[in-house]
Amino acid sequence: MNNPPTSLNKKAIINQILPFSCVDGPGSRLVLFMQGCNYQCKNCHNPHTIGLCDACGDCITHCPQNALSLINPNNKPHIVWDSERCSQCDTCISVCPKQASPKVLHYSVEDVLGIIHSQHHFINGITVSGGEASLQLPFIVELFKAIKATTQLSHLTCMLDTNGSLSLTGWHKLLPFLDGAMVDLKAWQQDTHRYITGRDNHAVFKSIQLLAQHQKLYEVRLLHIPSITDYEQEIEELARYLLQLGTGIHIKLNAFHHHGVVNEALMWPKCTSTDIENLAAQLAKRGLTNIVLPSTFI
C-alpha cells in the first residue's frame, strides 16, 4: 500500500472532536476543537484549551486512574493519555502549572478525513474551533483543501471559528478553501480588549474587513459581560461598523456565564436574558436586523 501524500500526514494537536453540533455554524456540523490559544481571556469558558502541555510530568503521579505516562522518543518528551483508563476527573488539569490539558490527541489530516468519511451522510459541514484554531493554520489549509478535492466530501462547508488574530497573509492562504468564518469581537476599545484578552484588537478588525470583502464572513460574535465589555457604551460606533459589513452577516450575541471560568471572572456579573435583549434592542434600533440571540442562558 502506498504511503499517503505528505500533506495528509500533517498533524494537529486536538483537544476534542465533536461528531455532531448544531451551534457551531450552519446546519449540522462535525467540530474539531484545537488545543492552544494566543489569547489569555479572563472570561474563557474553556481555559484548559489555552496552554500547550510541556511534558513537565507533574500530572502523572496525581492521576487516580494511572491514565498518563511520559515517553521520550528522540529526546522529545511528551505525555501519553490513555483515554480508556481516564475517568475524566480533570485532576491533571487542576494540578498543571499551565492549566493545560494533557488529554489531547495528535491527528493527521488523513486521520480526520477518515472520521469525516464516517459521518459525511449526517452532517452539512466541518467547523474547526479552539483554543485558537488558526495557530495550526497549515493543518487547517491541508484539511480543507483535501475536503474540497474529495468527491464524497466536497459538498461539505468548511468553517473556521476564530478570535480573528490571524494575519492577512494567513487568511489569503486559507480563503480559497474556506466557506465562512465566525469571528469574536470581544470589545470595541483597545484598552477594554486588552484588559479582557491580554491582546489588542487591530488584527481582529483587519480580519473582519477582509472576510467581509471576500464574502467569507459568516458571523461576528459579541460576548456581553455586563459592566466589563464596552458594547453599550460604544453602541453608536459599534452599530455603524457592523452595518457597513453587509446585511447577510449574522451578529450573534452571547451571554457571559460562570461555567468553566476561573479566578477574577468568577466575580464578574452574569449576563441575563434582559441584558441580552436590551443590547439586541439597541442594535436593532440602529438598523441591524440579522441578530441572533442565545438559545439558552446558564
Side-chain angles (χ1 to χ4, degrees):
M1 182 176 179
N2 293 330
N3 290 326
T6 302
S7 60
L8 298 187
N9 286 326
K10 195 175 293 295
K11 289 195 173 185
I13 306 172
I14 297 178
N15 181 278
Q16 182 185 12
I17 297 180
L18 196 61
F20 177 85
S21 170
C22 58
V23 296
D24 293 283
S28 57
R29 312 192 66 76
L30 183 146
V31 188
L32 307 180
F33 292 94
M34 315 291 267
Q35 183 74 20
C37 187
N38 55 344
Y39 279 13
Q40 294 288 328
C41 295
K42 290 181 170 70
N43 58 284
C44 184
H45 294 112
N46 299 294
H48 59 279
T49 67
I50 295 175
L52 292 174
C53 174
D54 60 5
C56 71
D58 287 1
C59 58
I60 294 174
T61 57
H62 289 87
C63 178
Q65 304 300 324
N66 295 316
L68 301 170
S69 58
L70 180 67
I71 64 172
N72 190 21
N74 303 317
N75 292 316
K76 294 181 179 179
H78 67 269
I79 302 293
V80 175
W81 168 54
D82 186 338
S83 60
E84 297 296 323
R85 283 176 173 257
C86 181
S87 64
Q88 300 296 337
C89 67
D90 288 344
T91 300
C92 53
I93 297 172
S94 64
V95 302
C96 176
K98 300 174 68 175
Q99 204 179 12
S101 176
K103 299 185 293 180
V104 298
L105 294 171
H106 294 74
Y107 285 88
S108 69
V109 172
E110 186 180 33
D111 294 333
V112 175
L113 287 174
I115 296 170
I116 296 171
H117 272 289
S118 70
Q119 295 290 115
H120 79 278
H121 291 300
F122 313 107
I123 57 175
N124 301 111
I126 312 302
T127 296
V128 185
S129 186
E132 175 46 39
S134 69
L135 296 180
Q136 301 187 62
L137 183 67
F139 175 89
I140 299 171
V141 170
E142 294 302 331
L143 175 63
F144 286 3
K145 184 191 297 185
I147 290 170
K148 297 302 183 185
T150 303
T151 302
Q152 283 186 309
L153 306 180
S154 60
H155 67 286
L156 299 174
T157 55
C158 296
M159 310 283 290
L160 182 69
D161 177 341
T162 176
N163 63 25
S165 61
L166 183 62
S167 69
L168 297 187
T169 300
W171 281 119
H172 283 295
K173 293 177 181 178
L174 184 60
L175 282 174
F177 316 105
L178 179 73
D179 291 297
M182 297 158 284
V183 184
D184 291 317
L185 180 57
K186 296 180 184 291
W188 180 259
Q189 291 288 351
Q190 292 293 334
D191 288 345
T192 308
H193 195 274
R194 202 173 287 116
Y195 168 68
I196 294 171
T197 72
R199 300 281 295 269
D200 65 43
N201 59 9
H202 291 300
V204 183
F205 285 117
K206 290 180 179 179
S207 293
I208 290 173
Q209 289 295 144
L210 179 70
L211 289 163
Q213 290 167 9
H214 287 267
Q215 290 79 51
K216 297 293 179 75
L217 182 62
Y218 174 76
E219 185 173 271
V220 175
R221 291 176 305 197
L222 310 176
L223 176 65
H224 188 29
I225 313 173
S227 78
I228 302 296
T229 47
D230 56 8
Y231 305 132
E232 292 180 304
Q233 299 94 308
E234 306 292 343
I235 196 70
E236 297 292 344
E237 291 295 321
L238 174 63
R240 191 177 301 119
Y241 176 75
L242 295 174
L243 278 169
Q244 59 87 28
L245 296 175
T247 56
I249 295 162
H250 293 204
I251 307 302
K252 185 172 184 180
L253 306 185
N254 288 325
F256 171 73
H257 54 79
H258 288 166
H259 179 71
V261 302
V262 295
N263 303 325
E264 179 182 347
L266 288 170
M267 305 301 294
W268 292 354
K270 296 179 184 179
C271 182
T272 66
S273 58
T274 300
D275 295 324
I276 283 289
E277 288 163 5
N278 288 340
L279 178 57
Q282 291 185 61
L283 291 171
K285 180 181 177 182
R286 289 159 177 83
L288 286 158
T289 57
N290 211 10
I291 299 171
V292 182
L293 299 181
S295 56
T296 59
F297 289 82
I298 297 178

